[in-house]
């Protein structure tokens, strides 16, 4: 129970906006606001606080929150699916706590708007793909330090899982999007190419992948991991092609000399000469 004095203090403090934003996101009144402030501070703007180089960023809280999140999700799935084996539970948990899923959750609950970072750091694709999901884990670590395990569990189950994740639907989600795309194109008689190029950004190598179906480009994606870039490009493409009407690919037919003789169309001289030369070679 938060005292009237604590509410009064934060209501008239410079941090009152953050205080009530946290209350809105978690459903809980924060007490130790400094924990939450640190959880929302990316290392790109963190200050050095120890001679060993340690900074007051959210990385240590991320480590703590990751452990708590995995424990809570593991218990939740263990009780929800009493007759499922270890492999099923592990795979489903990995889908829930994946970096893509956590980033999405951070955006949905509005936590991403509170994260502090140097905008230049977003030029790094690894940072763009993980910054908000990492902050969410750190935020969970802050709740644990401020409120304990029981309240952390409440936030994860009631504020994240209940409103933003359909666990039953998620278990049917296929992660191999590239395999699904290949199956889709083969089933519908379409051609498929995965266009892969490498980009060097400083010391970082980035893979840019685009899916090409019947000569139409879809689903471009970038990632430092080639397989991940392919999966992301395939996932985007699967969404884009749902209602797309593909034109058949018309392949260039072999030139026919008999057709040329009987045709009124004007045939390029180069094609005639090339065909005659081929036929002469065959006769020899």
């Amino acid at each position: 129970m938060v005292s009237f004095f604590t509410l009064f203090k934060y209501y008239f403090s410079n941090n009152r906006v953050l205080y009530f934003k946290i209350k809105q996101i978690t459903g809980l009144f924060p007490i130790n606001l400094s924990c939450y402030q640190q959880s929302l501070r990316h290392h790109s703007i963190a200050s050095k606080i120890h001679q060993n180089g340690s900074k007051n960023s959210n990385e240590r809280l991320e480590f703590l929150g990751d452990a708590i999140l995995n424990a809570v999700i593991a218990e939740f799935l263990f009780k929800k699916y009493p007759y499922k084996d270890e492999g099923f539970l592990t795979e489903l948990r990995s889908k829930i706590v994946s970096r893509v899923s956590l980033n999405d959750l951070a955006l949905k609950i509005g936590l991403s708007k509170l994260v502090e970072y140097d905008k230049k750091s977003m030029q790094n694709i690894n940072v763009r793909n993980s910054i908000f999901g990492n902050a969410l884990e750190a935020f969970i670590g802050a709740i644990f330090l401020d409120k304990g395990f029981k309240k952390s569990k409440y936030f994860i189950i009631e504020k994240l899982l209940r409103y933003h994740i359909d666990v039953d639907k998620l278990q049917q989600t296929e992660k191999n999007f590239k395999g699904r795309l290949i199956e889709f194109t083969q089933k519908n008689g379409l051609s498929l190419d995965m266009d892969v190029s490498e980009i060097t950004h400083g010391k970082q190598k980035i893979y840019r992948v685009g899916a090409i179906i019947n000569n139409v480009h879809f689903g471009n994606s970038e990632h430092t991991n080639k397989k991940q870039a392919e999966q992301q490009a395939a996932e985007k493409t699967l969404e884009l092609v749902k209602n797309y009407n593909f034109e058949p690919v018309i392949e260039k037919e072999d030139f026919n000399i008999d057709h040329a003789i009987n045709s009124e169309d004007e045939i390029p001289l180069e094609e005639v000469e090339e065909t005659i030369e081929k036929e002469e070679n065959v006769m020899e």
Side-chain angles (χ1 to χ4, degrees):
M1 184 72 179
V2 179
S3 67
F4 174 78
F5 174 76
T6 301
L7 286 172
F8 183 83
K9 180 180 71 172
Y10 281 120
Y11 186 82
F12 290 100
S13 75
N14 294 330
N15 295 315
R16 61 181 178 275
V17 174
L18 177 62
Y19 181 83
F20 288 105
K21 284 286 186 182
I22 293 171
K23 168 62 174 65
Q24 184 180 22
I25 290 171
T26 64
L28 306 166
F29 284 105
I31 297 175
N32 185 0
L33 198 63
S34 63
C35 289
Y36 300 93
Q37 289 173 318
Q38 184 171 349
S39 73
L40 300 170
R41 187 183 303 121
H42 187 251
H43 72 81
S44 61
I45 62 164
S47 303
K48 185 177 177 180
I49 57 174
H50 194 273
Q51 61 184 7
N52 68 358
S54 179
K55 292 185 174 184
N56 60 348
S57 71
N58 61 4
E59 291 179 347
R60 281 167 51 83
L61 282 170
E62 179 192 337
F63 161 79
L64 180 61
D66 173 71
I68 295 163
L69 177 63
N70 274 278
V72 171
I73 296 298
E75 182 191 19
F76 173 82
L77 295 177
F78 182 84
K79 292 180 177 179
K80 182 174 176 62
Y81 301 102
Y83 303 109
K84 295 293 186 179
D85 60 21
E86 177 191 5
F88 170 89
L89 298 175
T90 300
E91 182 179 356
L92 188 51
R93 181 182 62 178
S94 70
K95 290 180 181 180
I96 295 173
V97 303
S98 71
R99 195 56 47 200
V100 173
S101 175
L102 294 182
N103 271 341
D104 186 51
L105 282 172
L107 291 169
K108 285 179 177 178
I109 66 176
L111 188 71
S112 57
K113 297 178 181 178
L114 304 179
V115 179
E116 298 178 335
Y117 57 90
D118 184 346
K119 291 183 178 179
K120 292 181 180 178
S121 66
M122 296 297 275
Q123 295 175 2
N124 186 308
I125 192 168
N126 282 333
V127 173
R128 292 203 305 270
N129 290 335
S130 64
I131 184 170
F132 301 127
N134 292 346
L136 177 56
E137 289 182 328
F139 191 72
I140 292 170
I143 297 174
F144 173 76
L145 292 181
D146 185 40
K147 295 289 187 178
F149 182 79
K150 187 175 180 179
K151 296 298 184 182
S152 303
K153 181 178 178 180
Y154 163 82
F155 170 69
I156 294 168
I157 301 296
E158 299 299 329
K159 297 298 182 178
L160 298 182
L161 287 182
R162 184 177 297 277
Y163 291 105
H164 300 293
I165 297 179
D166 187 337
V167 179
D168 293 324
K169 183 178 179 180
L170 189 63
Q171 68 170 297
Q172 301 172 8
T173 302
E174 175 60 60
K175 295 178 69 176
N176 184 11
F177 297 106
K178 185 179 177 182
R180 285 174 54 193
L181 184 60
I182 292 172
E183 182 181 354
F184 169 82
T185 54
Q186 290 178 343
K187 181 179 178 181
N188 292 280
L190 305 171
S191 65
L192 170 65
D193 291 302
M194 300 300 284
D195 182 33
V196 182
S197 59
E198 294 182 12
I199 307 167
T200 302
H201 190 278
K203 297 181 179 179
Q204 191 176 41
K205 182 186 290 185
I206 299 172
Y207 294 94
R208 177 178 291 167
V209 178
I212 304 174
I213 302 178
N214 276 26
N215 299 326
V216 181
H217 289 254
F218 293 94
N220 291 320
S221 182
E222 294 181 0
H223 205 282
T224 52
N225 183 285
K226 181 180 176 181
K227 290 184 177 180
Q228 190 64 36
E230 290 179 336
Q231 289 292 343
Q232 290 179 358
E235 182 179 9
K236 291 179 181 179
T237 301
L238 286 167
E239 286 296 318
L240 293 171
V241 300
K242 283 181 178 178
N243 300 311
Y244 192 90
N245 294 320
F246 287 97
E247 294 291 334
V249 176
I250 302 176
E251 297 185 2
K252 185 178 180 181
E253 296 182 357
D254 291 335
F255 178 72
N256 187 296
I257 190 66
D258 294 326
H259 172 75
I261 294 173
N262 297 318
S263 174
E264 295 181 358
D265 298 333
E266 184 178 344
I267 307 300
L269 180 61
E270 293 82 2
E271 290 191 26
V272 175
E273 292 176 342
E274 183 182 347
T275 304
I276 292 173
E277 184 180 350
K278 287 181 179 179
E279 293 189 357
E280 287 177 347
N281 290 335
V282 171
M283 291 175 66
E284 290 178 359

